[in-house]
């Protein structure tokens, strides 16, 4: 298959080659364990790789660590690690999926990646500059984790589908935060939420 136009996502040729290696590895593992529902290469690129790459420009500047919750097959955390070169922590409780993440980080030459094969609550994580999660849990649940993990000034990046505004409304009673919305470049019905200054309602710093 012809590789998609990665230059439109700010990706160099070298990074594009490493992403192609990752997709090939993912397809091989997908024959043994269910990493993604998609088996078609074009769908893998569009629905997963490009969907994750579009988050890279929204990552805060600096060198602070990134934490991805429920990383699954590496989306978006492993892709962001490759795009940014930042210290990245991938939390995935499924042992088979975490084994894939460890192998993928090795194949891609990403010593900056640390895989945590544990539940989020049990993982020992640094105070993060950014927390991400994709298709993992309702926003109200994600905010609990983000508030605990984020360093002061840190942000959360949560891609959401059609329920984005509904989830924001449901979270509004319990959480205060600064909300930025970005339209998805890969799914017209999706929105990327970039959240900062997250704190429980009634909490005063």
């Amino acid at each position: 298959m012809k590789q998609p136009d990665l230059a439109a996502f700010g990706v160099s040729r070298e990074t594009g080659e490493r992403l192609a290696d990752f997709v090939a590895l993912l397809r091989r593992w997908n024959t043994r364990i269910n990493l993604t529902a998609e088996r078609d290469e074009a769908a893998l690129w569009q629905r997963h790789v490009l969907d994750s790459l579009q988050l890279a420009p929204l990552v805060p500047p600096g060198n602070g660590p990134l934490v991805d919750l429920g990383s699954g097959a590496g989306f978006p955390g492993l892709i962001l690690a490759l795009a940014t070169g930042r210290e990245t922590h991938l939390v995935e409780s499924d042992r088979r999926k975490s084994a894939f993440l460890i192998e993928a980080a090795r194949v891609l030459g990403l010593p900056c990646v640390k895989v945590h094969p544990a539940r989020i609550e049990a993982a020992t994580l640094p105070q993060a500059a950014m927390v991400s999660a994709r298709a993992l849990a309702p926003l109200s649940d994600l905010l609990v984790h983000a508030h605990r993990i984020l360093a002061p000034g840190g942000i959360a990046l949560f891609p959401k589908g059609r329920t984005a505004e509904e989830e924001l409304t449901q979270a509004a009673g319990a959480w205060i935060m600064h909300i930025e919305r970005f339209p998805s470049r890969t799914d017209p019905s999706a929105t990327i939420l970039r959240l900062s200054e997250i704190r429980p309602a009634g909490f005063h710093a």
Side-chain angles (χ1 to χ4, degrees):
M1 177 206 129
K2 183 180 177 182
Q3 195 168 284
D5 180 15
L6 296 176
F9 287 79
V11 172
S12 68
R13 186 178 71 174
E14 179 189 1
T15 299
E17 291 171 352
R18 294 167 80 189
L19 286 169
D21 291 341
F22 170 74
V23 170
L25 180 70
L26 174 59
R27 295 187 75 199
R28 289 197 298 274
W29 277 64
N30 241 350
T31 63
R32 292 181 283 151
I33 66 174
N34 186 32
L35 290 167
T36 65
E38 290 81 13
R39 296 296 191 269
D40 176 70
E41 186 174 353
L44 285 172
W45 277 104
Q46 180 71 14
R47 297 182 188 177
H48 297 295
V49 177
L50 298 184
D51 193 59
S52 298
L53 273 177
Q54 69 175 329
L55 301 183
L58 304 179
V59 174
N63 298 314
L66 314 180
V67 172
D68 186 49
L69 306 177
S71 296
F75 306 114
L78 193 66
I79 303 302
L80 291 178
L82 182 58
T84 67
R86 297 269 287 269
E87 175 189 339
T88 303
H89 296 257
L90 308 179
V91 184
E92 175 52 59
S93 61
D94 185 301
R95 293 285 171 157
R96 296 174 303 166
K97 292 178 179 177
S98 62
F100 168 75
L101 293 172
I102 291 168
E103 175 65 6
R106 185 192 68 79
V107 168
L108 294 175
L110 291 173
C112 60
V113 169
K114 178 173 176 54
V115 179
H116 300 261
R119 294 183 60 82
I120 297 167
E121 299 83 358
T124 302
L125 300 168
Q127 291 289 283
M130 187 206 76
V131 168
S132 60
R134 180 175 177 264
L136 176 65
L139 181 60
S140 293
D141 294 342
L142 295 176
L143 290 170
V144 174
H145 299 307
H147 180 253
R148 177 175 62 86
I149 296 168
L150 284 174
I155 69 152
L157 282 182
F158 297 141
K160 287 290 180 181
R162 300 177 188 274
T163 63
E165 293 304 317
E166 179 184 343
E167 291 188 45
L168 282 169
T169 299
Q170 291 173 348
W175 294 95
I176 296 170
M177 67 198 106
H178 177 66
I179 303 166
E180 296 173 275
R181 299 169 177 84
F182 299 87
S184 171
R185 296 173 62 181
T186 59
D187 181 353
S189 68
T191 301
I192 301 162
L193 300 178
R194 184 164 68 178
L195 310 175
S196 56
E197 301 172 31
I198 299 167
R199 61 193 188 279
F203 173 82
H204 300 284

